[in-house]
Amino acid sequence: MTDTTSAYCGPDRILSGMQPTGGLHLGNYLGALKNWALMQDSGKQCFFCAVDMHAMTMEYDPALLPGRVRGVAAAYIAAGVDPARSAIFAQSAVPEHAELNWVLQCVARMGWMERMTQFKDKAGSGKDAERASVGLFTYPVLMAADILVYKATHVPVGDDQKQHLELARDIAARFNRDFGGGRIILPEPEPVIMPVGARIMSLKDGSRKMSKSDPSENARINLYDDADTIARKIRKAKTDSEPLPETAGSLDKRPEAKNLVGLYAALTGESIDDVLDEFGGKGFGAFKPRLAEVAVEYMAPVSEEYARLLNEKAEINAVLKNGAERARATARSVMTEVRALIGYWNA
Ligand code: TYM
């Protein structure tokens, strides 16, 4: 696919989102949220949504969904996203996401969708896959709509979203080819992925991602965990019996050790080499207590603010309302342009 982003003349914009399917965890924070707060300083317009429509693709409780959206918004703010500079909103409050979703479903090709690995992971196989919702299958198209309805140029995400971003780029390119008349209407969005922290693994199994849906609470550090809980989970984290190596390459066959060293680096902002300079040759008995200290020190301000904001319903509701109004102004103007190009009835 040719890179058309450089030829795009519109403003740079940042968009990202998280599913309100449960409490957020350290992987969400280090892989994405931390970067969102930093990217606000770039001067680019920022849009951060709670993707409640995506949360409907698996079984869910409608009574819990609005509260979870509020929880996600509270986590964004606690992590440093500033509602004055960034629009924070619920995906479902901006109906243009759903409107563009349909247009893009007619642009995306079945072959592209069938290559999406996350659907296979989530839907399973055989009878399980037959019972999966159609929404789960078309999930990545709605994600492309989330991005393209703002003409977002940069999308800060964790490593697991790379394939979805490639699809969004393919969809944008195909839309431009079919409807742009030689112009780039929808820029191909660039994923922005942190060099360290983009893939935090489970504390119980270094080959699996840290995830909201892991049945074991000890597999993840939640954003709301207090200092004692964080320290206990790190103490109990799975490791091997070898001391930490002197060089990063030697971590490749030791997924649990690699994950804990990566966590330390992501929390402190040090490189993996720096961490190994300090801890190489030392055992986990020495490393884990330091990691716990660092995790508590860095996460405590975020989790305290998160806990405080969870009680400020009116304040968060006001942020979400204002964010949706600002987001909608941009999304509406993009949809006006799209509607004219695709031949929708306009008499
Ligand atoms: P979700 O809700 O699964 O995750 C939200 C963000 O957190 C990152 N992340 C991780 N990063 C590092 N290590 C981990 N273990 C880890 N787990 C999750 C994810 O990469 C993501 O950046 N499809 C998206 C939501 C979405 C979206 C969008 C994102 C919908 N529309 C538009 C960007 C733009 C998702 O399920 O994220």
Side-chain angles (χ1 to χ4, degrees):
M1 198 66 54
T2 51
D3 178 13
T4 48
T5 320
S6 52
Y8 173 67
C9 307
D12 280 353
R13 288 193 186 125
I14 295 169
L15 173 127
S16 201
M18 294 202 181
Q19 290 199 68
T21 41
L24 301 187
H25 53 70
L26 195 55
N28 298 129
Y29 177 72
L30 294 174
L33 214 37
K34 195 175 164 204
N35 208 11
W36 299 3
L38 295 173
M39 287 179 83
Q40 290 179 118
D41 298 331
S42 64
K44 299 178 174 61
Q45 223 182 332
C46 293
F47 300 88
F48 298 118
C49 55
V51 292
D52 48 352
M53 289 154 69
H54 277 113
M56 298 165 62
T57 56
M58 306 276 277
E59 217 169 295
Y60 76 106
D61 182 347
L64 295 182
L65 198 51
R68 288 189 163 165
V69 167
R70 207 167 22 240
V72 165
Y76 292 180
I77 299 168
V81 178
D82 171 9
R85 285 188 290 162
S86 299
I88 298 176
F89 59 100
Q91 181 190 34
S92 64
V94 182
E96 285 75 12
H97 290 235
E99 191 180 357
L100 185 60
N101 175 48
W102 177 252
V103 177
L104 301 185
Q105 285 207 31
C106 298
V107 172
R109 305 289 99 185
M110 282 300 285
W112 304 351
M113 302 303 297
E114 274 158 6
R115 284 196 286 275
M116 295 291 113
T117 53
Q118 189 172 294
F119 174 75
K120 291 177 197 149
D121 293 345
K122 288 201 172 170
S125 53
K127 284 271 172 242
D128 285 341
E130 279 175 29
R131 277 193 287 265
S133 72
V134 175
L136 187 64
F137 184 68
T138 59
Y139 175 118
V141 181
L142 178 59
M143 180 163 159
D146 297 338
I147 299 166
L148 301 178
V149 82
Y150 301 98
K151 300 195 178 193
T153 50
H154 297 84
V155 183
V157 282
D159 190 66
D160 60 343
Q161 299 299 315
K162 253 192 206 157
Q163 195 187 36
H164 288 161
L165 258 295
E166 270 160 33
L167 181 84
R169 290 171 63 85
D170 287 346
I171 290 176
R174 177 80 183 236
F175 180 93
N176 294 331
R177 197 196 75 185
D178 291 353
F179 303 107
R183 286 181 307 141
I184 295 165
I185 309 296
L186 304 176
E188 290 180 41
E190 296 281 349
V192 182
I193 297 179
M194 299 280 252
V196 188
R199 197 171 186 81
I200 302 293
M201 310 310 278
S202 153
L203 297 180
K204 289 282 149 201
D205 177 354
S207 66
R208 291 159 59 103
K209 246 186 3 179
M210 185 177 282
S211 146
K212 294 175 203 134
S213 55
D214 197 310
S216 165
E217 269 295 316
N218 287 332
R220 67 180 159 265
I221 293 175
N222 299 303
L223 234 49
Y224 53 77
D225 283 345
D226 60 22
D228 288 347
T229 311
I230 295 176
R232 180 175 47 77
K233 287 181 177 177
I234 291 177
R235 218 170 33 244
K236 287 185 149 192
K238 186 176 168 198
T239 46
D240 52 42
S241 53
E242 301 288 309
L244 284 169
E246 311 279 342
T247 57
S250 316
L251 285 171
D252 282 343
K253 290 201 178 73
R254 299 174 60 188
E256 283 83 18
K258 185 175 180 174
N259 189 37
L260 295 188
V261 170
L263 258 181
Y264 190 100
L267 284 162
T268 57
E270 290 175 26
S271 70
I272 302 284
D273 288 334
D274 287 342
V275 182
L276 293 179
D277 277 348
E278 191 180 344
F279 291 101
K282 296 193 178 138
F284 286 100
F287 180 64
K288 276 184 170 179
R290 270 301 290 144
L291 174 59
E293 262 173 46
V294 158
V296 168
E297 183 186 331
Y298 282 84
M299 296 316 293
V302 178
S303 47
E304 278 162 24
E305 182 61 357
Y306 182 41
R308 187 190 71 78
L309 286 167
L310 286 176
N311 291 318
E312 300 293 340
K313 276 192 183 177
E315 183 185 334
I316 304 293
N317 288 351
V319 164
L320 285 163
K321 183 164 183 279
N322 175 269
E325 279 161 12
R326 280 150 61 198
R328 214 169 167 199
T330 303
R332 243 195 228 119
S333 80
V334 173
M335 273 320 294
T336 302
E337 188 183 6
V338 167
R339 289 176 72 94
L341 290 170
I342 58 178
Y344 270 0
W345 180 253
N346 67 353

mmCIF file of all heavy atoms in Angstrom, residues 141-182:
data_model
loop_
_atom_site.group_PDB
_atom_site.id
_atom_site.type_symbol
_atom_site.label_atom_id
_atom_site.label_comp_id
_atom_site.label_asym_id
_atom_site.label_seq_id
_atom_site.Cartn_x
_atom_site.Cartn_y
_atom_site.Cartn_z
ATOM 1 N N VAL A 141 -14.000 -2.887 11.542
ATOM 2 C CA VAL A 141 -14.499 -1.842 10.628
ATOM 3 C C VAL A 141 -15.037 -0.670 11.453
ATOM 4 O O VAL A 141 -14.799 0.504 11.123
ATOM 5 C CB VAL A 141 -15.601 -2.387 9.689
ATOM 6 C CG1 VAL A 141 -16.070 -1.291 8.735
ATOM 7 C CG2 VAL A 141 -15.102 -3.593 8.920
ATOM 8 N N LEU A 142 -15.745 -0.988 12.543
ATOM 9 C CA LEU A 142 -16.213 0.090 13.433
ATOM 10 C C LEU A 142 -15.012 0.837 14.013
ATOM 11 O O LEU A 142 -15.033 2.059 14.156
ATOM 12 C CB LEU A 142 -17.096 -0.489 14.555
ATOM 13 C CG LEU A 142 -17.613 0.518 15.589
ATOM 14 C CD1 LEU A 142 -18.446 1.622 14.949
ATOM 15 C CD2 LEU A 142 -18.441 -0.192 16.675
ATOM 16 N N MET A 143 -13.959 0.102 14.295
ATOM 17 C CA MET A 143 -12.743 0.759 14.816
ATOM 18 C C MET A 143 -12.163 1.700 13.747
ATOM 19 O O MET A 143 -11.738 2.827 14.068
ATOM 20 C CB MET A 143 -11.730 -0.309 15.230
ATOM 21 C CG MET A 143 -10.466 0.276 15.768
ATOM 22 S SD MET A 143 -9.495 -0.956 16.686
ATOM 23 C CE MET A 143 -7.898 -0.156 16.611
ATOM 24 N N ALA A 144 -12.171 1.272 12.501
ATOM 25 C CA ALA A 144 -11.706 2.155 11.414
ATOM 26 C C ALA A 144 -12.591 3.398 11.343
ATOM 27 O O ALA A 144 -12.101 4.523 11.166
ATOM 28 C CB ALA A 144 -11.715 1.396 10.087
ATOM 29 N N ALA A 145 -13.903 3.202 11.526
ATOM 30 C CA ALA A 145 -14.825 4.347 11.495
ATOM 31 C C ALA A 145 -14.526 5.315 12.640
ATOM 32 O O ALA A 145 -14.548 6.537 12.454
ATOM 33 C CB ALA A 145 -16.273 3.863 11.569
ATOM 34 N N ASP A 146 -14.219 4.766 13.837
ATOM 35 C CA ASP A 146 -13.881 5.622 14.988
ATOM 36 C C ASP A 146 -12.749 6.584 14.618
ATOM 37 O O ASP A 146 -12.738 7.743 15.026
ATOM 38 C CB ASP A 146 -13.360 4.792 16.175
ATOM 39 C CG ASP A 146 -14.373 3.812 16.731
ATOM 40 O OD1 ASP A 146 -15.581 4.020 16.517
ATOM 41 O OD2 ASP A 146 -13.945 2.822 17.375
ATOM 42 N N ILE A 147 -11.802 6.052 13.885
ATOM 43 C CA ILE A 147 -10.587 6.822 13.557
ATOM 44 C C ILE A 147 -10.869 7.781 12.392
ATOM 45 O O ILE A 147 -10.579 8.980 12.452
ATOM 46 C CB ILE A 147 -9.448 5.839 13.172
ATOM 47 C CG1 ILE A 147 -9.126 4.917 14.355
ATOM 48 C CG2 ILE A 147 -8.216 6.598 12.682
ATOM 49 C CD1 ILE A 147 -8.267 3.709 13.992
ATOM 50 N N LEU A 148 -11.468 7.220 11.336
ATOM 51 C CA LEU A 148 -11.576 7.985 10.087
ATOM 52 C C LEU A 148 -12.660 9.057 10.159
ATOM 53 O O LEU A 148 -12.612 10.030 9.400
ATOM 54 C CB LEU A 148 -11.810 7.025 8.910
ATOM 55 C CG LEU A 148 -10.684 5.976 8.734
ATOM 56 C CD1 LEU A 148 -11.009 5.024 7.585
ATOM 57 C CD2 LEU A 148 -9.326 6.632 8.497
ATOM 58 N N VAL A 149 -13.614 8.917 11.078
ATOM 59 C CA VAL A 149 -14.681 9.917 11.176
ATOM 60 C C VAL A 149 -14.130 11.244 11.727
ATOM 61 O O VAL A 149 -14.787 12.280 11.645
ATOM 62 C CB VAL A 149 -15.885 9.377 11.999
ATOM 63 C CG1 VAL A 149 -15.668 9.503 13.500
ATOM 64 C CG2 VAL A 149 -17.185 10.045 11.583
ATOM 65 N N TYR A 150 -12.920 11.199 12.270
ATOM 66 C CA TYR A 150 -12.226 12.439 12.680
ATOM 67 C C TYR A 150 -11.061 12.756 11.744
ATOM 68 O O TYR A 150 -10.289 13.668 12.019
ATOM 69 C CB TYR A 150 -11.709 12.318 14.125
ATOM 70 C CG TYR A 150 -12.848 12.053 15.073
ATOM 71 C CD1 TYR A 150 -13.148 10.771 15.507
ATOM 72 C CD2 TYR A 150 -13.694 13.088 15.459
ATOM 73 C CE1 TYR A 150 -14.236 10.523 16.324
ATOM 74 C CE2 TYR A 150 -14.790 12.856 16.272
ATOM 75 C CZ TYR A 150 -15.055 11.570 16.692
ATOM 76 O OH TYR A 150 -16.151 11.336 17.485
ATOM 77 N N LYS A 151 -10.876 11.957 10.691
ATOM 78 C CA LYS A 151 -9.676 12.074 9.850
ATOM 79 C C LYS A 151 -8.432 12.062 10.732
ATOM 80 O O LYS A 151 -7.516 12.873 10.549
ATOM 81 C CB LYS A 151 -9.723 13.349 9.002
ATOM 82 C CG LYS A 151 -10.917 13.426 8.060
ATOM 83 C CD LYS A 151 -10.704 14.513 7.018
ATOM 84 C CE LYS A 151 -11.866 14.559 6.039
ATOM 85 N NZ LYS A 151 -11.596 15.351 4.860
ATOM 86 N N ALA A 152 -8.429 11.156 11.725
ATOM 87 C CA ALA A 152 -7.277 11.094 12.638
ATOM 88 C C ALA A 152 -6.054 10.601 11.871
ATOM 89 O O ALA A 152 -6.138 9.690 11.044
ATOM 90 C CB ALA A 152 -7.579 10.180 13.822
ATOM 91 N N THR A 153 -4.921 11.227 12.146
ATOM 92 C CA THR A 153 -3.672 10.862 11.464
ATOM 93 C C THR A 153 -2.785 9.984 12.354
ATOM 94 O O THR A 153 -1.930 9.272 11.851
ATOM 95 C CB THR A 153 -2.893 12.133 11.092
ATOM 96 O OG1 THR A 153 -2.799 12.974 12.257
ATOM 97 C CG2 THR A 153 -3.590 12.901 9.970
ATOM 98 N N HIS A 154 -2.972 10.065 13.692
ATOM 99 C CA HIS A 154 -2.123 9.318 14.624
ATOM 100 C C HIS A 154 -2.988 8.600 15.663
ATOM 101 O O HIS A 154 -3.881 9.222 16.247
ATOM 102 C CB HIS A 154 -1.153 10.266 15.338
ATOM 103 C CG HIS A 154 -0.203 10.920 14.383
ATOM 104 N ND1 HIS A 154 -0.518 12.047 13.665
ATOM 105 C CD2 HIS A 154 1.051 10.579 14.015
ATOM 106 C CE1 HIS A 154 0.500 12.371 12.890
ATOM 107 N NE2 HIS A 154 1.458 11.500 13.076
ATOM 108 N N VAL A 155 -2.674 7.326 15.893
ATOM 109 C CA VAL A 155 -3.487 6.520 16.801
ATOM 110 C C VAL A 155 -2.575 5.810 17.814
ATOM 111 O O VAL A 155 -1.947 4.797 17.497
ATOM 112 C CB VAL A 155 -4.331 5.486 16.006
ATOM 113 C CG1 VAL A 155 -5.236 4.705 16.940
ATOM 114 C CG2 VAL A 155 -5.141 6.172 14.921
ATOM 115 N N PRO A 156 -2.476 6.353 19.038
ATOM 116 C CA PRO A 156 -1.622 5.718 20.043
ATOM 117 C C PRO A 156 -2.283 4.486 20.660
ATOM 118 O O PRO A 156 -3.340 4.588 21.294
ATOM 119 C CB PRO A 156 -1.433 6.824 21.098
ATOM 120 C CG PRO A 156 -2.573 7.772 20.910
ATOM 121 C CD PRO A 156 -3.056 7.639 19.500
ATOM 122 N N VAL A 157 -1.674 3.328 20.452
ATOM 123 C CA VAL A 157 -2.250 2.050 20.904
ATOM 124 C C VAL A 157 -1.142 1.111 21.350
ATOM 125 O O VAL A 157 0.035 1.332 21.063
ATOM 126 C CB VAL A 157 -3.031 1.334 19.769
ATOM 127 C CG1 VAL A 157 -4.401 1.936 19.560
ATOM 128 C CG2 VAL A 157 -2.232 1.308 18.483
ATOM 129 N N GLY A 158 -1.525 0.023 22.005
ATOM 130 C CA GLY A 158 -0.607 -1.063 22.323
ATOM 131 C C GLY A 158 -0.384 -1.916 21.073
ATOM 132 O O GLY A 158 -1.095 -1.799 20.063
ATOM 133 N N ASP A 159 0.603 -2.789 21.196
ATOM 134 C CA ASP A 159 1.041 -3.619 20.081
ATOM 135 C C ASP A 159 -0.076 -4.493 19.483
ATOM 136 O O ASP A 159 -0.116 -4.750 18.284
ATOM 137 C CB ASP A 159 2.157 -4.504 20.667
ATOM 138 C CG ASP A 159 2.899 -5.260 19.639
ATOM 139 O OD1 ASP A 159 3.579 -4.604 18.846
ATOM 140 O OD2 ASP A 159 2.782 -6.507 19.629
ATOM 141 N N ASP A 160 -1.039 -4.920 20.331
ATOM 142 C CA ASP A 160 -2.074 -5.856 19.867
ATOM 143 C C ASP A 160 -3.049 -5.214 18.865
ATOM 144 O O ASP A 160 -3.849 -5.925 18.250
ATOM 145 C CB ASP A 160 -2.856 -6.442 21.053
ATOM 146 C CG ASP A 160 -3.566 -5.378 21.869
ATOM 147 O OD1 ASP A 160 -3.224 -4.188 21.748
ATOM 148 O OD2 ASP A 160 -4.475 -5.737 22.644
ATOM 149 N N GLN A 161 -2.995 -3.892 18.711
ATOM 150 C CA GLN A 161 -3.944 -3.233 17.799
ATOM 151 C C GLN A 161 -3.354 -2.981 16.408
ATOM 152 O O GLN A 161 -4.013 -2.393 15.543
ATOM 153 C CB GLN A 161 -4.432 -1.906 18.397
ATOM 154 C CG GLN A 161 -5.157 -2.067 19.719
ATOM 155 C CD GLN A 161 -6.415 -2.922 19.583
ATOM 156 O OE1 GLN A 161 -7.208 -2.762 18.660
ATOM 157 N NE2 GLN A 161 -6.584 -3.850 20.500
ATOM 158 N N LYS A 162 -2.091 -3.426 16.219
ATOM 159 C CA LYS A 162 -1.395 -3.145 14.952
ATOM 160 C C LYS A 162 -2.193 -3.619 13.734
ATOM 161 O O LYS A 162 -2.347 -2.905 12.753
ATOM 162 C CB LYS A 162 -0.061 -3.890 14.956
ATOM 163 C CG LYS A 162 1.139 -3.014 15.134
ATOM 164 C CD LYS A 162 2.348 -3.874 14.814
ATOM 165 C CE LYS A 162 3.582 -3.386 15.503
ATOM 166 N NZ LYS A 162 4.570 -4.444 15.656
ATOM 167 N N GLN A 163 -2.698 -4.844 13.809
ATOM 168 C CA GLN A 163 -3.394 -5.405 12.641
ATOM 169 C C GLN A 163 -4.663 -4.614 12.335
ATOM 170 O O GLN A 163 -4.997 -4.381 11.171
ATOM 171 C CB GLN A 163 -3.723 -6.887 12.880
ATOM 172 C CG GLN A 163 -4.106 -7.580 11.594
ATOM 173 C CD GLN A 163 -4.603 -8.997 11.791
ATOM 174 O OE1 GLN A 163 -5.274 -9.302 12.784
ATOM 175 N NE2 GLN A 163 -4.289 -9.867 10.854
ATOM 176 N N HIS A 164 -5.364 -4.182 13.394
ATOM 177 C CA HIS A 164 -6.565 -3.375 13.180
ATOM 178 C C HIS A 164 -6.228 -2.039 12.516
ATOM 179 O O HIS A 164 -6.983 -1.536 11.685
ATOM 180 C CB HIS A 164 -7.274 -3.109 14.515
ATOM 181 C CG HIS A 164 -7.948 -4.324 15.077
ATOM 182 N ND1 HIS A 164 -8.301 -4.436 16.398
ATOM 183 C CD2 HIS A 164 -8.352 -5.471 14.483
ATOM 184 C CE1 HIS A 164 -8.887 -5.602 16.598
ATOM 185 N NE2 HIS A 164 -8.921 -6.250 15.453
ATOM 186 N N LEU A 165 -5.089 -1.483 12.891
ATOM 187 C CA LEU A 165 -4.665 -0.212 12.285
ATOM 188 C C LEU A 165 -4.308 -0.399 10.816
ATOM 189 O O LEU A 165 -4.595 0.464 9.982
ATOM 190 C CB LEU A 165 -3.467 0.342 13.058
ATOM 191 C CG LEU A 165 -3.741 1.482 14.036
ATOM 192 C CD1 LEU A 165 -4.219 2.719 13.312
ATOM 193 C CD2 LEU A 165 -4.798 1.104 15.070
ATOM 194 N N GLU A 166 -3.695 -1.542 10.492
ATOM 195 C CA GLU A 166 -3.378 -1.814 9.082
ATOM 196 C C GLU A 166 -4.657 -1.896 8.274
ATOM 197 O O GLU A 166 -4.743 -1.380 7.160
ATOM 198 C CB GLU A 166 -2.602 -3.122 8.954
ATOM 199 C CG GLU A 166 -1.114 -2.910 9.052
ATOM 200 C CD GLU A 166 -0.365 -4.189 9.402
ATOM 201 O OE1 GLU A 166 -0.802 -5.283 8.985
ATOM 202 O OE2 GLU A 166 0.643 -4.071 10.129
ATOM 203 N N LEU A 167 -5.680 -2.527 8.853
ATOM 204 C CA LEU A 167 -6.972 -2.612 8.161
ATOM 205 C C LEU A 167 -7.548 -1.209 7.952
ATOM 206 O O LEU A 167 -8.054 -0.884 6.869
ATOM 207 C CB LEU A 167 -7.955 -3.476 8.955
ATOM 208 C CG LEU A 167 -9.304 -3.602 8.264
ATOM 209 C CD1 LEU A 167 -9.278 -4.709 7.213
ATOM 210 C CD2 LEU A 167 -10.440 -3.871 9.246
ATOM 211 N N ALA A 168 -7.472 -0.375 8.982
ATOM 212 C CA ALA A 168 -8.002 0.992 8.857
ATOM 213 C C ALA A 168 -7.277 1.734 7.732
ATOM 214 O O ALA A 168 -7.897 2.498 6.972
ATOM 215 C CB ALA A 168 -7.847 1.741 10.181
ATOM 216 N N ARG A 169 -5.986 1.493 7.599
ATOM 217 C CA ARG A 169 -5.215 2.142 6.514
ATOM 218 C C ARG A 169 -5.682 1.631 5.158
ATOM 219 O O ARG A 169 -5.856 2.401 4.215
ATOM 220 C CB ARG A 169 -3.722 1.875 6.698
ATOM 221 C CG ARG A 169 -3.116 2.595 7.897
ATOM 222 C CD ARG A 169 -1.677 2.134 8.167
ATOM 223 N NE ARG A 169 -0.797 2.458 7.056
ATOM 224 C CZ ARG A 169 -0.204 3.635 6.901
ATOM 225 N NH1 ARG A 169 -0.385 4.577 7.791
ATOM 226 N NH2 ARG A 169 0.576 3.855 5.863
ATOM 227 N N ASP A 170 -5.885 0.315 5.060
ATOM 228 C CA ASP A 170 -6.351 -0.262 3.793
ATOM 229 C C ASP A 170 -7.731 0.285 3.422
ATOM 230 O O ASP A 170 -8.009 0.578 2.263
ATOM 231 C CB ASP A 170 -6.424 -1.792 3.894
ATOM 232 C CG ASP A 170 -5.042 -2.431 3.897
ATOM 233 O OD1 ASP A 170 -4.064 -1.738 3.564
ATOM 234 O OD2 ASP A 170 -4.938 -3.626 4.260
ATOM 235 N N ILE A 171 -8.593 0.408 4.431
ATOM 236 C CA ILE A 171 -9.945 0.914 4.178
ATOM 237 C C ILE A 171 -9.886 2.375 3.704
ATOM 238 O O ILE A 171 -10.559 2.759 2.737
ATOM 239 C CB ILE A 171 -10.823 0.768 5.447
ATOM 240 C CG1 ILE A 171 -11.133 -0.710 5.712
ATOM 241 C CG2 ILE A 171 -12.122 1.563 5.307
ATOM 242 C CD1 ILE A 171 -11.924 -0.984 7.001
ATOM 243 N N ALA A 172 -9.054 3.172 4.369
ATOM 244 C CA ALA A 172 -8.932 4.587 3.968
ATOM 245 C C ALA A 172 -8.428 4.684 2.529
ATOM 246 O O ALA A 172 -8.976 5.446 1.707
ATOM 247 C CB ALA A 172 -7.984 5.322 4.916
ATOM 248 N N ALA A 173 -7.411 3.880 2.205
ATOM 249 C CA ALA A 173 -6.826 3.944 0.857
ATOM 250 C C ALA A 173 -7.862 3.540 -0.193
ATOM 251 O O ALA A 173 -7.986 4.175 -1.253
ATOM 252 C CB ALA A 173 -5.606 3.026 0.781
ATOM 253 N N ARG A 174 -8.628 2.503 0.127
ATOM 254 C CA ARG A 174 -9.636 2.029 -0.834
ATOM 255 C C ARG A 174 -10.754 3.057 -0.997
ATOM 256 O O ARG A 174 -11.257 3.279 -2.101
ATOM 257 C CB ARG A 174 -10.201 0.693 -0.321
ATOM 258 C CG ARG A 174 -11.305 0.099 -1.147
ATOM 259 C CD ARG A 174 -10.718 -0.617 -2.357
ATOM 260 N NE ARG A 174 -11.768 -1.126 -3.201
ATOM 261 C CZ ARG A 174 -11.875 -2.405 -3.549
ATOM 262 N NH1 ARG A 174 -11.020 -3.291 -3.141
ATOM 263 N NH2 ARG A 174 -12.850 -2.796 -4.337
ATOM 264 N N PHE A 175 -11.163 3.686 0.117
ATOM 265 C CA PHE A 175 -12.188 4.721 0.051
ATOM 266 C C PHE A 175 -11.703 5.867 -0.845
ATOM 267 O O PHE A 175 -12.432 6.328 -1.722
ATOM 268 C CB PHE A 175 -12.506 5.258 1.459
ATOM 269 C CG PHE A 175 -13.560 6.331 1.458
ATOM 270 C CD1 PHE A 175 -14.897 6.005 1.654
ATOM 271 C CD2 PHE A 175 -13.241 7.667 1.238
ATOM 272 C CE1 PHE A 175 -15.890 6.989 1.622
ATOM 273 C CE2 PHE A 175 -14.211 8.653 1.201
ATOM 274 C CZ PHE A 175 -15.541 8.307 1.403
ATOM 275 N N ASN A 176 -10.463 6.290 -0.637
ATOM 276 C CA ASN A 176 -9.926 7.409 -1.427
ATOM 277 C C ASN A 176 -9.879 7.046 -2.904
ATOM 278 O O ASN A 176 -10.210 7.863 -3.769
ATOM 279 C CB ASN A 176 -8.518 7.771 -0.932
ATOM 280 C CG ASN A 176 -8.557 8.326 0.478
ATOM 281 O OD1 ASN A 176 -9.547 8.925 0.890
ATOM 282 N ND2 ASN A 176 -7.487 8.120 1.228
ATOM 283 N N ARG A 177 -9.480 5.805 -3.182
ATOM 284 C CA ARG A 177 -9.377 5.364 -4.578
ATOM 285 C C ARG A 177 -10.760 5.350 -5.234
ATOM 286 O O ARG A 177 -10.946 5.822 -6.351
ATOM 287 C CB ARG A 177 -8.762 3.955 -4.612
ATOM 288 C CG ARG A 177 -8.241 3.546 -5.969
ATOM 289 C CD ARG A 177 -8.015 2.056 -6.042
ATOM 290 N NE ARG A 177 -9.277 1.325 -6.148
ATOM 291 C CZ ARG A 177 -9.384 0.011 -6.127
ATOM 292 N NH1 ARG A 177 -8.311 -0.741 -5.955
ATOM 293 N NH2 ARG A 177 -10.563 -0.581 -6.259
ATOM 294 N N ASP A 178 -11.768 4.820 -4.491
ATOM 295 C CA ASP A 178 -13.096 4.643 -5.081
ATOM 296 C C ASP A 178 -13.908 5.937 -5.135
ATOM 297 O O ASP A 178 -14.745 6.107 -6.008
ATOM 298 C CB ASP A 178 -13.893 3.590 -4.298
ATOM 299 C CG ASP A 178 -13.312 2.193 -4.493
ATOM 300 O OD1 ASP A 178 -12.393 2.042 -5.320
ATOM 301 O OD2 ASP A 178 -13.769 1.255 -3.806
ATOM 302 N N PHE A 179 -13.694 6.818 -4.155
ATOM 303 C CA PHE A 179 -14.579 7.988 -4.049
ATOM 304 C C PHE A 179 -13.847 9.331 -4.058
ATOM 305 O O PHE A 179 -14.486 10.370 -4.089
ATOM 306 C CB PHE A 179 -15.414 7.907 -2.754
ATOM 307 C CG PHE A 179 -16.240 6.650 -2.651
ATOM 308 C CD1 PHE A 179 -15.882 5.639 -1.771
ATOM 309 C CD2 PHE A 179 -17.371 6.480 -3.444
ATOM 310 C CE1 PHE A 179 -16.633 4.484 -1.678
ATOM 311 C CE2 PHE A 179 -18.134 5.327 -3.355
ATOM 312 C CZ PHE A 179 -17.766 4.311 -2.469
ATOM 313 N N GLY A 180 -12.522 9.306 -3.969
ATOM 314 C CA GLY A 180 -11.776 10.562 -3.773
ATOM 315 C C GLY A 180 -11.527 11.353 -5.045
ATOM 316 O O GLY A 180 -11.112 12.506 -4.970
ATOM 317 N N GLY A 181 -11.718 10.736 -6.198
ATOM 318 C CA GLY A 181 -11.450 11.454 -7.446
ATOM 319 C C GLY A 181 -10.034 12.015 -7.477
ATOM 320 O O GLY A 181 -9.823 13.163 -7.862
ATOM 321 N N GLY A 182 -9.074 11.210 -7.013
ATOM 322 C CA GLY A 182 -7.668 11.643 -7.041
ATOM 323 C C GLY A 182 -7.237 12.407 -5.800
ATOM 324 O O GLY A 182 -6.067 12.749 -5.664
#
